[in-house]
Amino acid sequence: IVFGDWSSDVCSSDLFAALSPDQYPAIVKAGFEGVKAGNPDAFVVGVAGAAPGGWAGWYIPALRDAGGAAWMDSFSVHPYTSPSTCDVGYPTEGAPVPRASLDLPQALTGGFASAIQQARGFAQRPGLWITELGWPSNVVGLAGQAQQAARMALLVAAMPDDYARVFYYDFLCDGANPVENEHNFGLVGFDYSPRPAYVAYAQATRAVGGRRFLRRLECPDSAVRLYLFGPEDDPLLVGWVTEVTPEELIAGARADGSKLGEANHAGSALDLKRPVKVGLPGVQQVTVTDWQGREQVVPVSEGVLELQLSTWPQYVEGLGEATGVEAEQG
């Protein structure tokens, strides 16, 4: 049961505007206790929403101060970054960190998951539920939307200690108006025709579904994203590059000093490529699959795979043992 989610029937978004920090915690407590009284085994996901500059509007600090971490099993967020990318995000002011992106969930929520763990006596910190997240294609383009749908799914899969569930918004476009945001969030069109985002999202979830996250491969270029998923004896490598680096976003300029402008917007660098070398001892060839599911056999020369990463995710199989996989700048 998701209590207080903006898109649920339990609580409308108007309550965030209508209720005060004194009133809201009392409603969350009453809802939690009522649900547990009816079904002690019910899993209750509290709060929801996101605030510019962070994911902790007044309701999270108010809940924490009122002891509200004890009134839920986990909590949800709507961490929209559109038109920016999910993995680098947008610059913030007055937030705990200088940018808002999916890779900084604990800081952006004030460590509320840890507060729930302590209050409820859980052995592990509960994972956040993302109950809304998407990019309208009329703002970022069909290609930009497709890239973000896939990269978001992969990034969440690579952070299993932070995220428990993700619900993409939206499956179906709400209408056929080409300039209305709500009509352009869908993975499929208003006529149910698959959009590029449907293809990219399906490929991403098929690729990592059922695989355990192993580790991120570090690279000197922080725009490079390389994630390794298990099992150890047959791992999958997923890689892409971000439009800008986190450091460039914070500085507001590229490494050469030029102004950043809108370079971090989703879909703004469809032709960007970065060479990366991946060490694969004893491997002769691998299979590289693109965002559409097209496979290509690529030779490995003297134990080194040379990849041309782009802002579209690539999936590499046939790596041998995961313990030998290393990366460096090409």
Side-chain angles (χ1 to χ4, degrees):
I1 294 177
V2 181
F3 180 78
D5 187 80
W6 288 6
S7 58
S8 75
D9 294 329
V10 178
C11 173
S12 75
S13 60
D14 293 339
L15 287 183
F16 286 111
L19 297 178
S20 70
D22 294 330
Q23 295 170 316
Y24 183 69
I27 290 181
V28 174
K29 181 176 186 291
F32 175 77
E33 292 177 344
V35 169
K36 291 293 187 177
N39 180 4
D41 296 327
F43 191 90
V44 179
V45 180
V47 301
W55 304 349
W58 63 258
Y59 42 89
I60 285 183
L63 274 174
R64 185 179 55 241
D65 295 345
W71 307 327
M72 59 195 72
D73 298 307
S74 185
F75 72 108
S76 69
V77 291
H78 296 173
Y80 284 95
T81 62
S82 179
S84 299
T85 61
C86 64
D87 31 31
V88 175
Y90 56 87
T92 62
E93 293 185 10
V97 287
R99 60 187 179 90
S101 71
L102 290 189
D103 59 358
L104 300 169
Q106 299 307 317
L108 291 167
T109 56
F112 195 52
S114 297
I116 293 175
Q117 178 187 6
Q118 183 177 3
R120 299 297 307 282
F122 293 156
Q124 296 179 328
R125 187 180 68 204
L128 283 70
W129 286 41
I130 297 177
T131 48
E132 264 193 45
L133 179 60
W135 289 259
S137 60
N138 62 310
V139 175
V140 301
L142 287 169
Q145 181 190 51
Q147 287 186 341
Q148 294 309 302
R151 283 159 50 174
M152 176 275 295
L154 297 168
L155 187 59
V156 168
M159 302 180 67
D161 293 336
D162 293 299
Y163 296 109
R165 298 285 189 277
V166 59
F167 297 86
Y168 186 84
Y169 185 86
D170 203 351
F171 175 70
L172 175 69
C173 288
D174 293 349
N177 188 329
V179 298
E180 172 62 41
N181 283 11
E182 286 298 326
H183 291 197
N184 289 278
F185 273 102
L187 294 174
V188 302
F190 188 58
D191 61 354
Y192 290 92
S193 59
R195 308 174 98 203
Y198 179 91
V199 177
Y201 189 73
Q203 174 59 31
T205 55
R206 277 197 303 263
V208 300
R211 288 182 177 269
R212 180 174 61 89
F213 174 66
L214 297 179
R215 67 180 187 274
R216 179 178 177 180
L217 273 61
E218 296 300 329
C219 193
D221 185 351
S222 58
V224 173
R225 299 291 181 125
L226 290 168
Y227 299 99
L228 201 63
F229 294 85
E232 291 277 359
D233 60 353
D234 184 25
L236 170 74
L237 179 65
V238 180
W240 68 89
V241 294
T242 57
E243 289 72 4
V244 301
T245 68
E247 295 81 10
E248 289 171 335
L249 180 77
I250 295 170
R254 295 189 180 276
D256 62 7
S258 60
K259 289 187 177 181
L260 205 59
E262 297 183 351
N264 191 49
H265 283 196
S268 65
L270 298 179
D271 298 324
L272 176 66
K273 288 184 171 59
R274 298 283 178 88
V276 175
K277 294 180 179 179
V278 182
L280 301 174
V283 177
Q284 301 300 315
Q285 64 181 32
V286 297
T287 300
V288 179
T289 304
D290 70 7
W291 68 275
Q292 293 177 297
R294 298 175 296 190
E295 296 182 354
Q296 179 182 8
V297 175
V298 178
V300 177
S301 177
E302 298 181 352
V304 177
L305 170 65
E306 296 189 8
L307 290 174
Q308 286 288 334
L309 293 182
S310 73
T311 49
W312 293 97
Q314 297 180 39
Y315 309 87
V316 186
E317 296 178 278
L319 307 176
E321 294 287 339
T323 52
V325 181
E326 298 179 349
E328 63 181 59
Q329 194 64 37

